[in-house]
Structures are given as C-alpha cells and as structure tokens.
Amino acid sequence: MLRAVRHSFEQHRAARKFAHLAKHHPLRYLFLEVTRKCNLSCTYCGSGCSPSWSNREMESSGWIRVLHQIAEDFPPKEVMLAITGGEPLLKPGFFDIIAEADTLGFPYGMVTNGGLLDREAARKLAASRIGAISISFDAPPELNDTLRGKGTARRVEQAITNLRKAGYKRRLEIISTIVKPAVPNLHKLREHIAGMKVAEWRLAPVIPIGRAAGTEDLIPDAADIRAILEFVKAGRADGLLPKPEFGEECYLGPSYEGTVRPFKYLCRAGLTVGGILCDGRIGACPELPDCFVQGDIHTDRFKDVWQTRYQALRDRAWTRRGTCASCDSFGACQGGSLHLYRDLDGQPIRCFYKMLEAD
C-alpha cells in the first residue's frame, strides 16, 4: 500500500515538473549538428553519418551567424552548446566556430570518435574554453575494432594521450553505445577505461534507429537491458572509477530510477533542449525524426521558433495511446523519449519499463 502511494506521489510530482517546463521552456541546452560527414561508418549508427555524406550543410560562416543570433536573444552563459556530428573535426572551420563560441561566452562541449584528434587538434582544444569532450568507445579494444573498424580503439587511446600532453584538464568523458555482443564484456570495458584514467563514463543501449534499425542481432533484449542496469547500479555503488552512468533514454521504474543515473528520467526535448541540424533545420535532439522539425534557421529566427512552436514536444497527450494509455507511470514517462517515435501517430519503438516488467 505504502509503495503504491509513494509511486502515485512520484508520478504527480514528475507530471507537475513536466508541465512547468513545458509552460516556461527555458533554453538550457542547444545541439549544433555541424556536420553529418564522418570518418567512420558504423553499422549501428543512429543516423546516416558516413565518409561519403554529401548533402547540403551550413558552412562555418553560417554557424557563426547562428551563434551571434542566439547570443542576441538568450543569455549565452545559460545555454550549453553541444557540438555534434558526424565527426565535428571534419567540419571545415570547426575551430573558427568554437573560437566564436569562446568570444560570445557560451559554455560548450563536443562529441567525437577521437580518430582525428591528433596533437594539433588537441593543442587547439586545450587552448580553447571547451568545457567537455566526450569520446566514443563502445567495447574492449578487440571487440571495439570489430564493431567500429580496425585501429579505432588505439586511436581513442592516442586522442586521450594527445589531450593530456596538450594540457587539457577539463571534463573528459567516454560514451559507450552498447550492442548485444558487448553486454557480457562490460567489466572488461570498465577496466580498460580505468586503465586510460578516464573517470567519467556514460553508457546506453544502441537505439534501433538510423542504420541501427537494420541490425536486429546487435540490439539488446530485455535480459540484456536488465544486465546493463544491474551492472551500472553496482558500479555506481562500489566507489571505483570510472563511475558508470546510464543514458537518458526511457523511464526505468522504481528499482532503477535515481540509482543508475544522477537524475530522474525526463525527456527534455523541446522543454529545455533545442537543436539545429547540419542543413539549418530547427528541432531538438539530432536523433529525433523529421516529424519533430519546427523550422529552418535560414528563414526563421530561432527565438521565434522556440517561443511559438514545439507544440507536440510540450504537450505529450498524443503519446497516451496503446500501452501508454493505461500505464501507471505516464506521469514520469510522458510517452517516453521522442527519438523512439517514427511519427506522431505511432507507438515508441521500445520502452525499457515495459521490457523490464515482461522480463
């Protein structure tokens, strides 16, 4: 009885928090997908990033104009920029973009696969004000090379060495996209990251979108999800480094919420998180499908879009159908992470909460 009352209270509190953010939507995090070109072509990539990507993209001068526009309309110190790709270091003028972010006073970080982070790139990053660098590394070295390409593990290790020799002392993080073959190797992966002396580690099961949607044999099942969560739960309690953190996808239920990550679940897309895609389209997280695109930076001012659109992201009533209609955790979940929807009429691709209940 007491547990049911506590659960109901948590759901109401989460729903109130969502409603507050939906109403006020303070912009706190802005994704800048500066390119979709990548030096890798991972089978389980959540997008179409590849070395051969040749679609229209904004030039660095366009991104600099965007930064000035955002700085005119929002307090730069309150908006964290997440510079993503593709591989950002492939973007011509990338260092001009971050230099302008420095000048305007934005906090910012980047996600990279590390393959192009040579000594010169490390020197420039260390000399900048970049506050966080997240490097992709998905499995122990041999398996990582099988999954991502020969030599990718060594190049990550070299990238970390280059950053340290260049004097970079701010936040350094390993992010791991966990595919099914990596689940039994999580302890080995943690040991390897510890050997690289990286203290922060965020891991998440591969999302079945983009190219990954066609790799069913790599998608973790319910038993794998539970194994990952139990691993993270134990790892966050044992006092050892790196301290694992589960990714932001999905409400997980009372057994894991508040223990496997340092926050309670909430999909903030459109609430506090915005985004600009490589071609100038305005949305939220780069992983969201086209149905969530809200405008275009070439014709719309971002502030106007942020203030007057995003209706489907701020009123999630449309998600309350199918299994979500009668779910006792809808208050906290609000239909799940929006990157799991292919359109506004369907169901989420997966729900960890329901998967764990059925396991």
Side-chain angles (χ1 to χ4, degrees), residues 49-64:
C49 301
S50 72
S52 59
W53 177 266
S54 59
N55 293 28
R56 180 176 68 95
E57 294 187 350
M58 277 201 296
E59 296 182 355
S60 60
S61 57
W63 285 107
I64 289 171

Side-chain angles (χ1 to χ4, degrees), residues 27-188:
L27 181 66
R28 294 291 180 260
Y29 204 86
L30 183 63
F31 282 98
L32 305 181
E33 185 197 55
V34 296
T35 184
R36 281 208 175 183
K37 192 168 186 179
C38 187
N39 51 311
L40 302 180
S41 187
C42 301
T43 304
Y44 52 95
C45 178
S47 69
C49 301
S50 72
S52 59
W53 177 266
S54 59
N55 293 28
R56 180 176 68 95
E57 294 187 350
M58 277 201 296
E59 296 182 355
S60 60
S61 57
W63 285 107
I64 289 171
R65 286 194 295 272
V66 167
L67 291 179
H68 278 268
Q69 182 191 121
I70 301 299
E72 289 172 10
D73 293 340
F74 299 89
K77 291 183 179 180
E78 295 181 8
V79 182
M80 175 70 182
L81 304 178
I83 303 174
T84 69
E87 172 50 54
L89 290 172
L90 274 175
K91 183 67 177 177
F94 168 78
F95 287 103
D96 296 329
I97 296 171
I98 67 170
E100 205 64 28
D102 279 348
T103 299
L104 294 169
F106 286 102
Y108 64 96
M110 69 178 292
V111 180
T112 174
N113 60 47
L116 303 176
L117 216 165
D118 58 18
R119 285 180 291 181
E120 180 62 13
R123 183 189 65 78
K124 290 180 178 179
L125 288 170
S128 74
R129 288 178 50 254
I130 190 167
I133 299 175
S134 300
I135 304 180
S136 302
F137 195 87
D138 294 345
E142 185 176 350
L143 180 56
N144 189 83
D145 282 11
T146 299
L147 294 168
R148 297 174 65 88
K150 187 176 181 179
T152 52
R154 179 186 55 78
R155 286 193 285 273
V156 168
E157 294 166 5
Q158 187 60 54
I160 293 170
T161 298
N162 292 340
L163 285 169
R164 292 201 170 114
K165 286 185 176 180
Y168 179 78
K169 297 184 183 300
R170 293 177 289 276
R171 185 180 180 190
L172 182 62
E173 174 190 44
I174 292 293
I175 53 174
S176 299
T177 298
I178 304 300
V179 295
K180 193 175 184 66
V183 175
N185 293 282
L186 291 174
H187 289 284
K188 289 183 180 178

Side-chain angles (χ1 to χ4, degrees), residues 211-342:
R211 282 200 298 271
T215 59
E216 291 83 359
D217 58 323
L218 295 180
I219 307 299
D221 59 22
D224 296 323
I225 299 301
R226 188 175 295 281
I228 295 169
L229 289 168
E230 288 295 330
F231 168 81
V232 173
K233 188 175 182 177
R236 292 184 64 79
D238 64 16
L240 303 177
L241 295 177
K243 187 177 183 178
E245 177 183 320
F246 192 74
E248 297 181 8
E249 182 185 332
C250 286
Y251 175 73
L252 302 171
S255 295
Y256 298 110
E257 285 295 327
T259 60
V260 298
R261 47 197 175 199
F263 53 84
K264 293 293 183 71
Y265 172 75
L266 176 62
C267 175
R268 294 175 181 268
L271 304 181
T272 63
V273 176
I276 302 174
L277 301 176
C278 65
D279 58 3
R281 290 178 299 153
I282 298 171
C285 306
E287 294 170 336
L288 266 58
D290 289 349
C291 63
F292 294 110
V293 169
Q294 303 296 308
D296 192 307
I297 201 67
H298 296 102
T299 55
D300 302 309
R301 194 167 185 89
F302 180 84
K303 180 183 179 181
D304 295 338
V305 175
W306 183 253
Q307 295 296 355
T308 64
R309 304 184 195 175
Y310 290 90
Q311 288 85 355
L313 292 83
R314 294 172 185 166
D315 181 355
R316 309 270 177 93
W318 60 271
T319 67
R320 196 153 198 175
R321 59 166 70 97
T323 56
C324 293
S326 58
C327 182
D328 65 347
S329 295
F330 188 85
C333 182
Q334 295 291 322
S337 304
L338 294 183
H339 63 253
L340 297 173
Y341 288 84
R342 293 188 173 94

